[in-house]
Amino acid sequence: MNIILFGPNGSGKGTQGSLLKEKYQLAHIETGGIFRENIGKGTELGKKAKEYMDRGDLVPDEITIPMVLETLKAHAQDGWLLDGFPRNPAQAEKLWEALQKSDMKLDYVVEILLSRKTAKERIMGRRICAQDPNHPNNIFIEAIKPQGEACRVCGGALSARSDDQNEQAIDKRHNIYYDEKSGTLASAYFFKDLAAQGKTKYIELDGAGNIAEVKEKLLAELK
Ligand code: AMP
């Protein structure tokens, strides 16, 4: 099973991706993760990618596309979940070309739908419980609103992660994601058009519910 997963920052893409990976035993090919790993190891690729990542810009296609195609080749015999790629139409086209050349099937393209406003509130409203980081608290989501200033589950102290409060960085990432002409959504729609021609299956998943609800919908669609 080969899947591409799209979703804005704040949509629960990471959570749903883990679910898909577990269920189908997929190799998780996450471009941001590959770049971070290379930065950690101090490789040439990592050095090149870092300056772009630090600014919140996309790493140039000349670096990103060959890196992803190489990784896909290495996993040609496994099922894979592609996460964080493509992010523009050129990447989408190159990917499709490479899949066809190597006879790899693209079973599903999953797009998690979430409004930009909700995605931003999910990130900026998130509060972390000092007792247990898994306790859900968000000052903008009614169902998981903290109790006053404290964790709604255990009454523990809450804090906000500093990167969740960097509104400029969040906006920059969302500008790239929600750009339907030349950004990530444009690349998702490239596959939506292919699905209309019967060349892959495109699943639009309403990301507005809680984790369990979205998960249930996703599994129902994949049957
Ligand atoms: P992520 O963890 O997916 O948010 O990716 C972190 C950073 O890695 C991004 O902000 C980009 O700088 C870079 N990156 C990840 N995927 C891509 C891609 N498909 N094209 C270009 N840059 C990417």
Side-chain angles (χ1 to χ4, degrees), residues 8-11 55-56 115-127 140 161-178:
N9 216 228
S11 68
R55 287 199 303 263
S115 76
R116 185 166 176 156
K117 177 172 177 284
T118 308
K120 188 168 172 177
E121 285 179 352
R122 282 217 186 144
I123 301 167
M124 298 199 73
R126 181 158 53 185
R127 295 294 178 269
F140 295 126
R161 259 175 37 191
S162 63
D163 53 338
D164 282 352
Q165 302 308 306
N166 187 344
E167 191 169 0
Q168 233 183 342
I170 295 166
D171 284 343
K172 202 164 182 182
R173 297 169 69 94
H174 280 167
N175 283 343
I176 296 173
Y177 184 83
Y178 287 98

Side-chain angles (χ1 to χ4, degrees), residues 124-135:
M124 298 199 73
R126 181 158 53 185
R127 295 294 178 269
I128 309 300
C129 170
Q131 307 294 330
D132 185 341
N134 293 315
H135 287 166

Side-chain angles (χ1 to χ4, degrees), residues 141-161:
I141 301 176
E142 207 47 52
I144 53 169
K145 246 191 184 146
Q147 288 202 327
E149 306 267 289
C151 172
R152 59 188 299 279
V153 181
C154 70
L158 293 177
S159 61
R161 259 175 37 191

Side-chain angles (χ1 to χ4, degrees), residues 9 13 30-33 35-36 49 52-54 56-61 64 68 83-88 91 173:
N9 216 228
K13 179 166 70 85
E30 192 209 350
T31 42
F35 285 133
R36 279 187 289 275
Y52 298 96
M53 290 174 76
D54 285 348
D57 291 328
L58 290 185
V59 178
D61 284 353
T64 308
V68 173
D83 179 352
F85 186 97
R87 266 166 146 113
N88 63 37
Q91 293 184 356
R173 297 169 69 94

